[in-house]
Amino acid sequence: MSEDAPLGLFGGTFDPVHVGHLRLAEEARESLQLGRVRWIPAGRPWHRDELRTDAAHRLEMVRRAVASNPLFEVDDIEARSGRPGYTVETVSSLRAVLGSQRPLVLLLGADAFSRLHTWQRWRELLDLVHVGLATRAGQAADAAVLNDALAAELAARRRDSADALRAAPGGAIVCFDMTPLAISATDLRARLARGASCRYLAPDAVLDYISHHRLY
Ligand code: ATP
């Protein structure tokens, strides 16, 4: 895959990273023909008020989770910043380094997409990058449940083929089917808090790290 192939950008709190995240990134890479996927653990996002775990820990867990995949990389641009980060600012910084022509594809689960209209300068963001939209267990990209302005953007920008992602640096929305995995970090935190097993819900390297540092 050439260096010019679309680059996937996968942000999240990853508190902790789990198999649902890994399959989303892997299936997006395959379905959308991305060269690589860059994981970007959030620092202190403005739209999440209670973050339980230090960014340094969340960053390290993501590093361990993706270590064996040469097509995954980790960017600490948000995690190392002490202040709340806006995705549009992160993407603008990446654009300055990667150039204005490189196709960038922001990967979002359906639940994250449905809140996009609450993000800072979200329409500008949709011009700057493409969106790769995964459907999550039981939650389709259903225009009926979307905010009107967001549904209108989805209708205008939606393209059926991943070819659209190579045709321009940004601006399109391409949906891809993802194996439904009803796994959430919220559920993992609850299991860990009550001492229940999370084996096979997250990589062993992540669970070892959690246990060693007594997180959650
Ligand atoms: P929490 O339960 O704390 O809200 P989460 O498991 O949803 O966390 P995030 O870090 O908030 O994880 O999610 C990062 C991205 O991964 C979001 O775009 C979200 O939609 C997506 N995602 C998370 N879990 C899944 C899953 N099981 N299937 C598909 N997408 C997922």
Side-chain angles (χ1 to χ4, degrees), residues 27-43:
E27 295 188 28
R29 189 195 56 71
E30 190 171 47
S31 305
L32 305 179
Q33 297 151 42
L34 307 175
R36 300 162 74 85
V37 174
R38 182 176 295 199
W39 294 61
I40 310 175

Side-chain angles (χ1 to χ4, degrees), residues 35-70:
R36 300 162 74 85
V37 174
R38 182 176 295 199
W39 294 61
I40 310 175
R44 200 184 323 132
W46 63 276
H47 51 96
R48 293 279 293 253
D49 39 21
E50 42 164 331
L51 264 189
R52 293 163 188 77
T53 315
D54 277 0
H57 283 313
R58 292 182 290 101
L59 177 69
E60 184 57 29
M61 289 189 280
V62 171
R63 286 209 165 109
R64 288 170 187 235
V66 309
S68 64
N69 189 329

Side-chain angles (χ1 to χ4, degrees), residues 13-14 18 21 24 48 109 111-112 136 181 183-186 189:
T13 45
F14 305 122
H18 55 69
H21 299 131
L24 184 150
R48 293 279 293 253
D111 63 328
R136 189 169 179 169
L181 290 167
I183 302 173
S184 71
T186 303
R189 290 194 300 272

Side-chain angles (χ1 to χ4, degrees), residues 60-82:
E60 184 57 29
M61 289 189 280
V62 171
R63 286 209 165 109
R64 288 170 187 235
V66 309
S68 64
N69 189 329
L71 298 180
F72 288 169
E73 57 196 36
V74 183
D75 195 323
D76 67 357
I77 181 171
E78 290 193 0
R80 70 169 184 257
S81 151

